[in-house]
Amino acid sequence: MNDLTNVPVTKTRPASSLRDLATQISEPVGWLRSEIDRLFDDFGSSGRSLFHFAPRGALAIVPALELVDDEKAYRLTAELPGLDEKDVEINVADGVLSISGEKKEEEERKEKGFLLSERRYGSFRRQISLPADVDAEGIKAQFKDGVLTVTLAKDENAAARTRKIAIEKA
């Protein structure tokens, strides 16, 4: 039915010039597509982050977190350089621990007839789903030298509340 046949290339437009034409058309379209992709990748990301006051489009940095399981509790540490404990807020609701904070910096210098005034602002928010055996009432936090340590006490009765479910034949 649908037979494939070889169609000879005409002398007015050889195969190589068809490829050149396709390349000329696709290059601007490819460039435009990459620019649109970059635009959507940058959309919604803040131009400035809490720890990195770089120009817009630079890589945003979020606080590093580490969760360690000890025998009686979990220990969560967050690196928050340049912040004080008054700049950080911790909340727990519905099995989710939220850590948020903001940094405001203002600097003003007067030297030899000129005034230099700079203001910087950055904020962050991290949310961590807590393990099922965490006792929400036993959560404690400490802040020292830019490191936040949150101790998440384990609920000793969590293992007693679990049970094996028998599978019945249908």
Side-chain angles (χ1 to χ4, degrees), residues 6-7 16 51 53 59 64-65 82 92 97 100 102 114 119-120 126 135 140:
N6 289 333
V7 177
S16 63
F51 306 108
F53 297 111
L59 188 63
L65 299 178
V92 65
L97 182 75
S100 59
E102 69 178 1
F114 71 89
R119 291 181 184 89
R120 296 179 192 90
R126 296 287 307 260
D135 178 14
K140 296 179 181 174

Side-chain angles (χ1 to χ4, degrees), residues 15-83:
S16 63
S17 68
L18 283 173
R19 275 188 234 112
D20 292 342
L21 180 63
T23 302
Q24 290 174 2
I25 292 171
S26 69
E27 284 181 18
V29 172
W31 172 82
L32 180 62
R33 180 179 178 175
S34 68
E35 288 298 307
I36 291 172
D37 288 344
R38 187 180 60 78
L39 176 69
F40 280 106
D41 288 342
D42 291 345
F43 184 75
S45 64
S46 62
R48 297 179 187 266
S49 73
L50 176 63
F51 306 108
H52 187 43
F53 297 111
R56 185 160 184 75
L59 188 63
I61 298 174
V62 294
L65 299 178
E66 179 183 52
L67 182 65
V68 177
D69 183 1
D70 292 339
E71 288 182 27
K72 295 186 178 187
Y74 297 100
R75 190 178 67 248
L76 177 77
T77 55
E79 297 176 8
L80 306 172
L83 292 180

Side-chain angles (χ1 to χ4, degrees), residues 70-107:
D70 292 339
E71 288 182 27
K72 295 186 178 187
Y74 297 100
R75 190 178 67 248
L76 177 77
T77 55
E79 297 176 8
L80 306 172
L83 292 180
D84 294 323
E85 59 270 6
K86 66 181 177 0
D87 300 326
V88 180
E89 186 175 311
I90 306 168
N91 295 309
V92 65
D94 299 326
V96 177
L97 182 75
S98 298
I99 302 172
S100 59
E102 69 178 1
K103 180 178 182 178
K104 294 179 183 178
E105 257 183 62
E106 291 187 28
E107 181 181 344

